[in-house]
Amino acid sequence: MAASFISRMAPPRLRIFYAILAIFVVVALFAPWIAPENPNSQNLLGRLKPPGSDVRGITYWIGSDELGRDLLSRVIYGARVSLMVAVLSVVGSGLVGTSLGMIAGYYRGVTGTVIMRLVDIVLSVPAILLAIITVAIMGPGLVNVVIVLAFTRWPRYARVAYGQTLGLMSLPYVRLSQTMGAAGPWVIRRHILPNIIGPIMVVVTLEIGLMVLFEAGLSFLGLGVQPPTPSWGAILSSGRNYMTTAWWIAIFPGLCLFTLILSVNVLGDHVRDMVEKRR
């Protein structure tokens, strides 16, 4: 079923990327059943073992870390953390940014000016720097990382929604609804939102990869998901100390990050092309 869906959605040259993304999603959803070991179970006799090692009945398929934890299990659970943070932060920032952008574009005037100047202020600070500052103030943790990433990325949705809404305001059916006395929220919900959902979805697909990268960066710096919860960024951070003796600790989560972000970005480009063709 999944294979037939991918074949219908993507051209042949992109099916591999759709399949890779689907694999990551399945692994994240079913991590407790797929992971061979408890990701936090320590075995000091098996610390820093290379891929394929077998210690006390435990096979370390891609090696173990400095505490003897199964790296494969930690990478699998790390996929769950990364995708959960990415999806939740994208949903949060998308809802806030799209709503504010439509309100600014529909009402314009003082309301629109205030909202868009706030957008300019947030965008004037680099997103990763703003995220680091905010996490440092709020404290690290899974929930705080989601809130921080949603807070730093909503302006991108607001700008897209604002521009698309301005373009729709001159269309006959929107002006007719206003002339007949339709309330602003009704017009936004009935006429504006359905017609800007395509460009917003393009932003969503591109932002998911960025959210995965930002979460990994914050965890790498110790400001994201906290130990012992597995996170690709945290595993990379610990693995950098063992690059010469246990290269696998950093290499495998790094490859997962690269592959996931590449697949999501290719998906985003494909969605953008489809939206542009329909215009």
Side-chain angles (χ1 to χ4, degrees), residues 23-232:
I23 290 172
F24 275 111
V25 172
V26 170
V27 167
L29 290 175
F30 299 99
W33 295 274
I34 296 175
E37 303 292 338
N38 184 329
N40 298 322
S41 179
Q42 300 180 14
N43 177 14
L44 295 181
L45 292 178
R47 64 188 301 270
L48 301 179
K49 294 298 182 181
S53 299
D54 196 321
V55 180
R56 297 176 60 181
I58 300 175
T59 301
Y60 297 112
W61 296 105
I62 60 172
S64 63
D65 65 5
E66 69 277 10
L67 295 176
R69 296 172 294 193
D70 180 42
L71 187 59
L72 176 59
S73 299
R74 292 185 64 78
V75 169
I76 289 173
Y77 272 84
R80 165 175 277 197
V81 171
S82 294
L83 286 175
M84 181 172 63
V85 170
V87 170
L88 291 177
S89 58
V90 163
V91 169
S93 58
L95 288 175
V96 173
T98 302
S99 300
L100 291 177
M102 290 189 298
I103 291 172
Y106 184 85
Y107 292 102
R108 289 170 284 187
V110 176
T111 301
T113 300
V114 170
I115 292 175
M116 296 316 296
R117 293 299 75 77
L118 181 60
V119 168
D120 293 337
I121 292 172
V122 177
L123 288 177
S124 66
V125 182
I128 188 63
L129 177 60
L130 184 59
I132 291 174
I133 294 173
T134 310
V135 169
I137 295 172
M138 297 178 59
L142 181 62
V143 176
N144 286 350
V145 169
V146 172
I147 295 173
V148 165
L149 292 180
F151 169 71
T152 57
R153 299 304 298 176
W154 68 266
R156 187 171 183 184
Y157 296 91
R159 274 197 165 179
V160 173
Y162 176 73
Q164 294 293 320
T165 302
L166 287 180
L168 293 172
M169 290 301 296
S170 60
L171 295 181
Y173 59 86
V174 175
R175 299 179 64 181
L176 179 61
S177 298
Q178 292 175 315
T179 302
M180 296 181 66
W186 187 89
V187 176
I188 290 174
R189 185 179 66 254
R190 187 67 180 269
H191 294 310
I192 304 298
L193 181 59
N195 286 286
I196 71 170
I197 198 67
I200 293 298
M201 288 306 300
V202 174
V203 180
V204 166
T205 54
L206 295 175
E207 282 288 297
I208 288 178
L210 272 178
M211 295 301 99
V212 172
L213 186 60
F214 281 177
E215 184 278 325
L218 291 173
S219 297
F220 183 86
L221 296 173
L223 298 173
V225 179
Q226 295 299 289
T229 303
S231 167
W232 288 344

